[in-house]
Short mmCIF file of all heavy atoms in Angstrom, two decimals:
data_model
loop_
_atom_site.label_atom_id
_atom_site.label_comp_id
_atom_site.label_asym_id
_atom_site.label_seq_id
_atom_site.Cartn_x
_atom_site.Cartn_y
_atom_site.Cartn_z
N ALA A 67 -33.83 14.47 1.54
CA ALA A 67 -33.01 13.28 1.75
C ALA A 67 -32.36 13.42 3.12
O ALA A 67 -32.09 14.53 3.59
CB ALA A 67 -31.95 13.17 0.66
N PRO A 68 -32.11 12.31 3.82
CA PRO A 68 -31.55 12.36 5.17
C PRO A 68 -30.26 13.19 5.26
O PRO A 68 -29.44 13.17 4.35
CB PRO A 68 -31.27 10.89 5.51
CG PRO A 68 -32.14 10.11 4.59
CD PRO A 68 -32.30 10.93 3.36
N ALA A 69 -30.11 13.88 6.36
CA ALA A 69 -28.97 14.76 6.58
C ALA A 69 -27.64 14.01 6.65
O ALA A 69 -26.58 14.59 6.42
CB ALA A 69 -29.17 15.57 7.85
N ASP A 70 -27.68 12.71 6.95
CA ASP A 70 -26.42 11.95 7.04
C ASP A 70 -25.88 11.53 5.68
O ASP A 70 -24.79 10.99 5.56
CB ASP A 70 -26.57 10.74 7.96
CG ASP A 70 -27.60 9.73 7.47
OD1 ASP A 70 -28.14 9.88 6.35
OD2 ASP A 70 -27.87 8.77 8.22
N GLY A 71 -26.63 11.76 4.61
CA GLY A 71 -26.17 11.46 3.26
C GLY A 71 -26.18 10.00 2.88
O GLY A 71 -25.67 9.63 1.83
N THR A 72 -26.77 9.14 3.70
CA THR A 72 -26.70 7.70 3.44
C THR A 72 -27.45 7.26 2.19
O THR A 72 -27.13 6.22 1.62
CB THR A 72 -27.24 6.90 4.64
OG1 THR A 72 -28.54 7.36 4.96
CG2 THR A 72 -26.32 7.04 5.84
N THR A 73 -28.43 8.02 1.74
CA THR A 73 -29.17 7.61 0.54
C THR A 73 -28.68 8.34 -0.71
O THR A 73 -29.18 8.08 -1.81
CB THR A 73 -30.68 7.87 0.70
OG1 THR A 73 -30.90 9.28 0.76
CG2 THR A 73 -31.24 7.17 1.92
N LEU A 74 -27.70 9.21 -0.57
CA LEU A 74 -27.23 10.01 -1.70
C LEU A 74 -25.96 9.43 -2.30
O LEU A 74 -25.08 8.96 -1.58
CB LEU A 74 -26.99 11.46 -1.27
CG LEU A 74 -28.21 12.18 -0.72
CD1 LEU A 74 -27.83 13.60 -0.29
CD2 LEU A 74 -29.33 12.22 -1.75
N ARG A 75 -25.88 9.45 -3.61
CA ARG A 75 -24.71 8.99 -4.34
C ARG A 75 -24.33 10.05 -5.36
O ARG A 75 -25.20 10.68 -5.97
CB ARG A 75 -25.01 7.68 -5.09
CG ARG A 75 -25.46 6.54 -4.20
CD ARG A 75 -24.31 6.03 -3.34
NE ARG A 75 -24.71 4.94 -2.47
CZ ARG A 75 -25.17 5.08 -1.22
NH1 ARG A 75 -25.30 6.27 -0.70
NH2 ARG A 75 -25.50 4.04 -0.50
N PRO A 76 -23.02 10.23 -5.61
CA PRO A 76 -22.61 11.21 -6.61
C PRO A 76 -23.03 10.78 -8.01
O PRO A 76 -23.08 9.59 -8.31
CB PRO A 76 -21.09 11.25 -6.48
CG PRO A 76 -20.71 10.00 -5.78
CD PRO A 76 -21.90 9.55 -4.98
N VAL A 77 -23.34 11.74 -8.84
CA VAL A 77 -23.64 11.48 -10.25
C VAL A 77 -22.43 11.97 -11.02
O VAL A 77 -22.12 13.16 -11.01
CB VAL A 77 -24.93 12.21 -10.70
CG1 VAL A 77 -25.14 12.03 -12.19
CG2 VAL A 77 -26.12 11.70 -9.92
N LEU A 78 -21.73 11.06 -11.64
CA LEU A 78 -20.50 11.39 -12.34
C LEU A 78 -20.80 11.96 -13.71
O LEU A 78 -21.78 11.58 -14.36
CB LEU A 78 -19.63 10.15 -12.47
CG LEU A 78 -19.29 9.46 -11.14
CD1 LEU A 78 -18.51 8.18 -11.40
CD2 LEU A 78 -18.53 10.39 -10.24
N ALA A 79 -19.93 12.87 -14.15
CA ALA A 79 -20.06 13.43 -15.49
C ALA A 79 -19.88 12.32 -16.51
O ALA A 79 -19.04 11.43 -16.34
CB ALA A 79 -19.02 14.52 -15.71
N GLN A 80 -20.65 12.35 -17.57
CA GLN A 80 -20.58 11.33 -18.61
C GLN A 80 -19.47 11.66 -19.60
O GLN A 80 -19.22 12.82 -19.92
CB GLN A 80 -21.91 11.25 -19.36
CG GLN A 80 -23.07 10.83 -18.48
CD GLN A 80 -22.90 9.43 -17.95
OE1 GLN A 80 -22.65 8.49 -18.69
NE2 GLN A 80 -23.01 9.28 -16.64
N ALA A 81 -18.80 10.63 -20.07
CA ALA A 81 -17.78 10.81 -21.10
C ALA A 81 -18.45 11.19 -22.41
O ALA A 81 -19.51 10.68 -22.76
CB ALA A 81 -16.98 9.52 -21.28
N THR A 82 -17.84 12.15 -23.12
CA THR A 82 -18.39 12.58 -24.41
C THR A 82 -17.60 12.02 -25.58
O THR A 82 -18.16 11.69 -26.61
CB THR A 82 -18.41 14.12 -24.52
OG1 THR A 82 -17.07 14.61 -24.37
CG2 THR A 82 -19.32 14.71 -23.46
N HIS A 83 -16.26 11.94 -25.43
CA HIS A 83 -15.43 11.39 -26.49
C HIS A 83 -14.04 11.08 -25.95
O HIS A 83 -13.69 11.47 -24.85
CB HIS A 83 -15.36 12.33 -27.70
CG HIS A 83 -14.72 13.66 -27.42
ND1 HIS A 83 -15.34 14.66 -26.71
CD2 HIS A 83 -13.49 14.13 -27.73
CE1 HIS A 83 -14.54 15.70 -26.61
NE2 HIS A 83 -13.40 15.40 -27.22
N VAL A 84 -13.27 10.37 -26.77
CA VAL A 84 -11.92 9.97 -26.41
C VAL A 84 -11.00 10.37 -27.56
O VAL A 84 -11.35 10.22 -28.73
CB VAL A 84 -11.85 8.43 -26.19
CG1 VAL A 84 -10.43 7.99 -25.90
CG2 VAL A 84 -12.78 8.01 -25.07
N THR A 85 -9.81 10.91 -27.21
CA THR A 85 -8.83 11.28 -28.23
C THR A 85 -7.50 10.61 -27.90
O THR A 85 -7.25 10.23 -26.75
CB THR A 85 -8.62 12.81 -28.30
OG1 THR A 85 -8.25 13.29 -27.00
CG2 THR A 85 -9.90 13.51 -28.76
N LEU A 86 -6.67 10.45 -28.91
CA LEU A 86 -5.34 9.89 -28.70
C LEU A 86 -4.48 10.90 -27.96
O LEU A 86 -4.57 12.10 -28.22
CB LEU A 86 -4.68 9.56 -30.04
CG LEU A 86 -5.36 8.48 -30.88
CD1 LEU A 86 -4.67 8.37 -32.24
CD2 LEU A 86 -5.35 7.15 -30.17
N LEU A 87 -3.66 10.42 -27.04
CA LEU A 87 -2.72 11.30 -26.35
C LEU A 87 -1.57 11.61 -27.30
O LEU A 87 -0.94 10.70 -27.84
CB LEU A 87 -2.18 10.63 -25.08
CG LEU A 87 -3.05 10.78 -23.85
CD1 LEU A 87 -2.53 9.92 -22.71
CD2 LEU A 87 -3.15 12.22 -23.40
N PRO A 88 -1.27 12.89 -27.51
CA PRO A 88 -0.18 13.23 -28.44
C PRO A 88 1.17 12.81 -27.89
O PRO A 88 1.42 12.85 -26.68
CB PRO A 88 -0.28 14.76 -28.55
CG PRO A 88 -1.04 15.20 -27.35
CD PRO A 88 -1.91 14.05 -26.93
N GLY A 89 2.03 12.36 -28.79
CA GLY A 89 3.39 12.00 -28.41
C GLY A 89 3.53 10.70 -27.64
O GLY A 89 4.60 10.42 -27.10
N ARG A 90 2.47 9.92 -27.55
CA ARG A 90 2.54 8.66 -26.83
C ARG A 90 2.19 7.53 -27.80
O ARG A 90 1.20 7.60 -28.52
CB ARG A 90 1.55 8.66 -25.66
CG ARG A 90 1.70 9.82 -24.69
CD ARG A 90 2.50 9.52 -23.45
NE ARG A 90 2.03 8.42 -22.66
CZ ARG A 90 1.16 8.52 -21.66
NH1 ARG A 90 0.62 9.67 -21.34
NH2 ARG A 90 0.84 7.45 -20.96
N ASP A 91 3.00 6.50 -27.81
CA ASP A 91 2.80 5.38 -28.73
C ASP A 91 2.03 4.24 -28.07
O ASP A 91 2.11 4.04 -26.85
CB ASP A 91 4.14 4.84 -29.22
CG ASP A 91 4.80 5.75 -30.24
OD1 ASP A 91 4.07 6.51 -30.91
OD2 ASP A 91 6.03 5.69 -30.37
N ALA A 92 1.34 3.50 -28.89
CA ALA A 92 0.68 2.29 -28.43
C ALA A 92 1.74 1.25 -28.09
O ALA A 92 2.85 1.28 -28.64
CB ALA A 92 -0.25 1.76 -29.52
N VAL A 93 1.40 0.35 -27.19
CA VAL A 93 2.35 -0.67 -26.74
C VAL A 93 1.69 -2.04 -26.86
O VAL A 93 0.51 -2.20 -26.52
CB VAL A 93 2.75 -0.42 -25.27
CG1 VAL A 93 3.67 -1.51 -24.75
CG2 VAL A 93 3.38 0.94 -25.11
N TYR A 94 2.45 -3.02 -27.36
CA TYR A 94 1.96 -4.39 -27.43
C TYR A 94 2.51 -5.18 -26.26
O TYR A 94 3.72 -5.16 -26.00
CB TYR A 94 2.37 -5.05 -28.75
CG TYR A 94 1.90 -6.49 -28.85
CD1 TYR A 94 0.56 -6.78 -29.00
CD2 TYR A 94 2.81 -7.54 -28.76
CE1 TYR A 94 0.12 -8.10 -29.08
CE2 TYR A 94 2.38 -8.85 -28.84
CZ TYR A 94 1.03 -9.13 -28.99
OH TYR A 94 0.60 -10.43 -29.06
N ASP A 95 1.65 -5.88 -25.55
CA ASP A 95 2.05 -6.73 -24.43
C ASP A 95 1.93 -8.18 -24.92
O ASP A 95 0.83 -8.71 -25.01
CB ASP A 95 1.15 -6.49 -23.23
CG ASP A 95 1.51 -7.34 -22.02
OD1 ASP A 95 2.35 -8.26 -22.15
OD2 ASP A 95 0.95 -7.08 -20.94
N PRO A 96 3.07 -8.83 -25.23
CA PRO A 96 3.00 -10.19 -25.77
C PRO A 96 2.44 -11.21 -24.78
O PRO A 96 1.79 -12.17 -25.18
CB PRO A 96 4.44 -10.52 -26.14
CG PRO A 96 5.29 -9.49 -25.49
CD PRO A 96 4.43 -8.32 -25.17
N ARG A 97 2.69 -11.01 -23.49
CA ARG A 97 2.16 -11.96 -22.50
C ARG A 97 0.64 -11.91 -22.45
O ARG A 97 -0.03 -12.94 -22.40
CB ARG A 97 2.73 -11.68 -21.12
CG ARG A 97 4.20 -12.04 -21.01
CD ARG A 97 4.75 -11.91 -19.62
NE ARG A 97 4.21 -10.77 -18.89
CZ ARG A 97 4.09 -10.72 -17.58
NH1 ARG A 97 4.48 -11.73 -16.84
NH2 ARG A 97 3.61 -9.65 -16.99
N ALA A 98 0.06 -10.70 -22.47
CA ALA A 98 -1.39 -10.56 -22.42
C ALA A 98 -2.01 -10.64 -23.82
O ALA A 98 -3.23 -10.75 -23.95
CB ALA A 98 -1.77 -9.23 -21.78
N ARG A 99 -1.14 -10.57 -24.85
CA ARG A 99 -1.61 -10.56 -26.24
C ARG A 99 -2.61 -9.44 -26.46
O ARG A 99 -3.66 -9.61 -27.08
CB ARG A 99 -2.21 -11.90 -26.63
CG ARG A 99 -1.20 -13.02 -26.60
CD ARG A 99 -1.80 -14.31 -27.02
NE ARG A 99 -0.77 -15.36 -26.95
CZ ARG A 99 -1.02 -16.62 -27.06
NH1 ARG A 99 -2.25 -17.04 -27.27
NH2 ARG A 99 -0.05 -17.49 -26.97
N GLN A 100 -2.24 -8.25 -25.95
CA GLN A 100 -3.10 -7.08 -26.06
C GLN A 100 -2.27 -5.85 -26.42
O GLN A 100 -1.08 -5.79 -26.15
CB GLN A 100 -3.82 -6.79 -24.73
CG GLN A 100 -4.80 -7.85 -24.32
CD GLN A 100 -5.42 -7.54 -22.97
OE1 GLN A 100 -4.82 -6.90 -22.12
NE2 GLN A 100 -6.64 -8.00 -22.77
N VAL A 101 -2.97 -4.90 -26.99
CA VAL A 101 -2.39 -3.61 -27.31
C VAL A 101 -3.00 -2.58 -26.37
O VAL A 101 -4.20 -2.63 -26.09
CB VAL A 101 -2.69 -3.22 -28.78
CG1 VAL A 101 -2.28 -1.79 -29.08
CG2 VAL A 101 -2.01 -4.19 -29.73
N SER A 102 -2.18 -1.65 -25.90
CA SER A 102 -2.66 -0.56 -25.07
C SER A 102 -2.37 0.75 -25.78
O SER A 102 -1.22 1.04 -26.11
CB SER A 102 -1.95 -0.60 -23.71
OG SER A 102 -2.34 0.51 -22.93
N VAL A 103 -3.43 1.52 -26.04
CA VAL A 103 -3.31 2.78 -26.75
C VAL A 103 -3.60 3.90 -25.75
O VAL A 103 -4.70 3.97 -25.20
CB VAL A 103 -4.30 2.86 -27.93
CG1 VAL A 103 -4.14 4.17 -28.68
CG2 VAL A 103 -4.13 1.67 -28.86
N PRO A 104 -2.63 4.80 -25.47
CA PRO A 104 -2.87 5.89 -24.53
C PRO A 104 -3.91 6.87 -25.10
O PRO A 104 -3.79 7.32 -26.23
CB PRO A 104 -1.51 6.58 -24.39
CG PRO A 104 -0.52 5.65 -25.01
CD PRO A 104 -1.27 4.80 -25.98
N VAL A 105 -4.93 7.17 -24.29
CA VAL A 105 -6.00 8.06 -24.73
C VAL A 105 -6.32 9.08 -23.65
O VAL A 105 -5.94 8.91 -22.49
CB VAL A 105 -7.29 7.26 -25.07
CG1 VAL A 105 -7.07 6.34 -26.25
CG2 VAL A 105 -7.80 6.50 -23.87
N GLU A 106 -7.01 10.12 -24.06
CA GLU A 106 -7.53 11.11 -23.13
C GLU A 106 -9.05 11.05 -23.23
O GLU A 106 -9.61 11.13 -24.32
CB GLU A 106 -7.03 12.51 -23.48
CG GLU A 106 -7.42 13.55 -22.47
CD GLU A 106 -6.70 14.86 -22.70
OE1 GLU A 106 -6.53 15.26 -23.87
OE2 GLU A 106 -6.32 15.49 -21.71
N ILE A 107 -9.70 10.89 -22.08
CA ILE A 107 -11.16 10.78 -22.03
C ILE A 107 -11.71 12.15 -21.65
O ILE A 107 -11.27 12.75 -20.67
CB ILE A 107 -11.58 9.72 -20.99
CG1 ILE A 107 -10.89 8.38 -21.29
CG2 ILE A 107 -13.10 9.56 -20.98
CD1 ILE A 107 -10.85 7.43 -20.12
N HIS A 108 -12.64 12.66 -22.46
CA HIS A 108 -13.23 13.99 -22.25
C HIS A 108 -14.64 13.81 -21.68
O HIS A 108 -15.41 12.98 -22.17
CB HIS A 108 -13.30 14.75 -23.58
CG HIS A 108 -11.95 14.95 -24.21
ND1 HIS A 108 -11.27 16.13 -24.11
CD2 HIS A 108 -11.15 14.11 -24.91
CE1 HIS A 108 -10.11 16.02 -24.74
NE2 HIS A 108 -10.02 14.79 -25.24
N PHE A 109 -14.97 14.61 -20.66
CA PHE A 109 -16.26 14.52 -19.98
C PHE A 109 -17.10 15.75 -20.26
O PHE A 109 -16.57 16.82 -20.58
CB PHE A 109 -16.06 14.33 -18.47
CG PHE A 109 -15.37 13.04 -18.14
CD1 PHE A 109 -14.00 12.97 -18.02
CD2 PHE A 109 -16.11 11.87 -17.96
CE1 PHE A 109 -13.36 11.78 -17.72
CE2 PHE A 109 -15.48 10.68 -17.67
CZ PHE A 109 -14.10 10.63 -17.55
N GLU A 110 -18.43 15.62 -20.09
CA GLU A 110 -19.35 16.69 -20.40
C GLU A 110 -19.14 17.94 -19.55
O GLU A 110 -19.53 19.03 -19.94
CB GLU A 110 -20.80 16.20 -20.28
CG GLU A 110 -21.20 15.75 -18.90
CD GLU A 110 -22.56 15.08 -18.86
OE1 GLU A 110 -23.23 14.98 -19.90
OE2 GLU A 110 -22.94 14.63 -17.77
N ASP A 111 -18.49 17.80 -18.38
CA ASP A 111 -18.24 18.97 -17.54
C ASP A 111 -16.94 19.68 -17.91
O ASP A 111 -16.53 20.63 -17.26
CB ASP A 111 -18.23 18.59 -16.05
CG ASP A 111 -17.10 17.64 -15.67
OD1 ASP A 111 -16.31 17.24 -16.56
OD2 ASP A 111 -17.02 17.29 -14.48
N GLY A 112 -16.27 19.22 -18.99
CA GLY A 112 -15.04 19.85 -19.46
C GLY A 112 -13.78 19.22 -18.89
O GLY A 112 -12.68 19.54 -19.34
N SER A 113 -13.90 18.33 -17.94
CA SER A 113 -12.73 17.69 -17.37
C SER A 113 -12.22 16.59 -18.29
O SER A 113 -12.94 16.14 -19.19
CB SER A 113 -13.03 17.13 -15.97
OG SER A 113 -13.98 16.09 -16.04
N THR A 114 -10.98 16.17 -18.07
CA THR A 114 -10.39 15.09 -18.86
C THR A 114 -9.63 14.15 -17.92
O THR A 114 -9.25 14.53 -16.81
CB THR A 114 -9.40 15.62 -19.92
OG1 THR A 114 -8.35 16.33 -19.26
CG2 THR A 114 -10.08 16.53 -20.92
N ARG A 115 -9.43 12.95 -18.38
CA ARG A 115 -8.64 11.95 -17.65
C ARG A 115 -7.84 11.15 -18.68
O ARG A 115 -8.32 10.88 -19.78
CB ARG A 115 -9.53 10.96 -16.90
CG ARG A 115 -10.32 11.52 -15.77
CD ARG A 115 -9.50 11.49 -14.49
NE ARG A 115 -10.28 11.80 -13.31
CZ ARG A 115 -10.66 12.99 -12.94
NH1 ARG A 115 -10.39 14.02 -13.69
NH2 ARG A 115 -11.33 13.19 -11.83
N GLU A 116 -6.63 10.77 -18.30
CA GLU A 116 -5.86 9.89 -19.15
C GLU A 116 -6.32 8.46 -18.91
O GLU A 116 -6.72 8.10 -17.80
CB GLU A 116 -4.37 10.02 -18.85
CG GLU A 116 -3.78 11.31 -19.34
CD GLU A 116 -2.27 11.36 -19.20
OE1 GLU A 116 -1.64 10.32 -18.92
OE2 GLU A 116 -1.72 12.45 -19.39
N GLY A 117 -6.28 7.67 -19.95
CA GLY A 117 -6.68 6.28 -19.85
C GLY A 117 -6.00 5.47 -20.92
O GLY A 117 -5.09 5.95 -21.60
N ALA A 118 -6.45 4.25 -21.08
CA ALA A 118 -5.88 3.37 -22.10
C ALA A 118 -7.00 2.63 -22.80
O ALA A 118 -7.93 2.15 -22.16
CB ALA A 118 -4.92 2.38 -21.46
#
Side-chain angles (χ1 to χ4, degrees):
D70 62 6
T72 54
T73 67
L74 300 178
R75 302 290 179 269
V77 175
L78 304 176
Q80 297 296 308
T82 59
H83 63 286
V84 176
T85 56
L86 296 174
L87 276 172
R90 305 263 304 269
D91 285 335
V93 177
Y94 179 70
D95 181 350
R97 289 186 322 152
R99 296 182 181 169
Q100 294 177 331
V101 171
S102 176
V103 182
V105 296
E106 186 169 39
I107 306 161
H108 300 260
F109 296 91
E110 62 189 358
D111 64 359
S113 65
T114 60
R115 293 272 190 283
E116 287 187 11

